[in-house]
Amino acid sequence: VQLVESGGGLVQPGGSLRLSCVASGDIGSITAMRWYRQAPGKERELVAAMASGSNTRYPDSMKGRFTISRDKANRTTYLQMSGLKPDDTAVYYCRQTRPRGDYWGQGTQVTVSS
């Protein structure tokens, strides 16, 4: 299974972006989906999580601004981000946990700047 992320880029403060993470290969079912981010000089942090039952979880700083979702085929994970702030600038990574293992994407850069 390989994960490919897309949707990152440069956005002004207050703007929105939607990140996508598409799985290819023998994907099987999915147990959990997560998005993380890592800013320069900082540790990687969880920004959104969804279990197979569609329960979601967000850190307090992301609640109301970030939304994780998936397609019906359980192949693609999305992260809708709104009200973006300069502090949201980071490389964003998706992670999918499937019966055959735990998989990470290569990361996509999000830069929030005027």
Side-chain angles (χ1 to χ4, degrees):
V1 176
Q2 291 187 325
L3 304 184
V4 177
E5 296 142 345
S6 62
L10 174 65
V11 62
Q12 292 187 343
S16 300
L17 281 176
R18 188 175 82 156
L19 307 182
S20 299
C21 173
V22 181
S24 61
D26 187 9
I27 63 172
S29 60
I30 191 165
T31 303
M33 296 152 283
R34 304 172 188 88
W35 285 93
Y36 295 79
R37 70 184 184 187
Q38 187 166 19
K42 295 186 178 181
E43 294 186 353
R44 189 170 295 188
E45 63 174 340
L46 178 72
V47 301
M50 175 183 277
S52 59
S54 298
N55 292 324
T56 58
R57 176 166 57 94
Y58 306 92
D60 288 343
S61 60
M62 283 78 176
K63 286 180 180 177
R65 299 193 303 124
F66 290 10
T67 303
I68 187 172
S69 62
R70 61 182 177 182
D71 67 351
K72 291 182 179 180
N74 284 331
R75 184 176 292 275
T76 305
T77 305
Y78 302 99
L79 182 68
Q80 178 69 47
M81 305 183 293
S82 60
L84 285 165
K85 308 172 184 178
D87 285 349
D88 294 318
T89 295
V91 178
Y92 285 71
Y93 299 89
C94 69
R95 176 185 176 192
Q96 294 182 0
T97 302
R98 298 180 179 272
R100 293 192 177 186
D102 199 48
Y103 305 95
W104 288 81
Q106 81 287 355
T108 185
Q109 176 70 46
V110 172
T111 302
V112 185
S113 175
S114 56

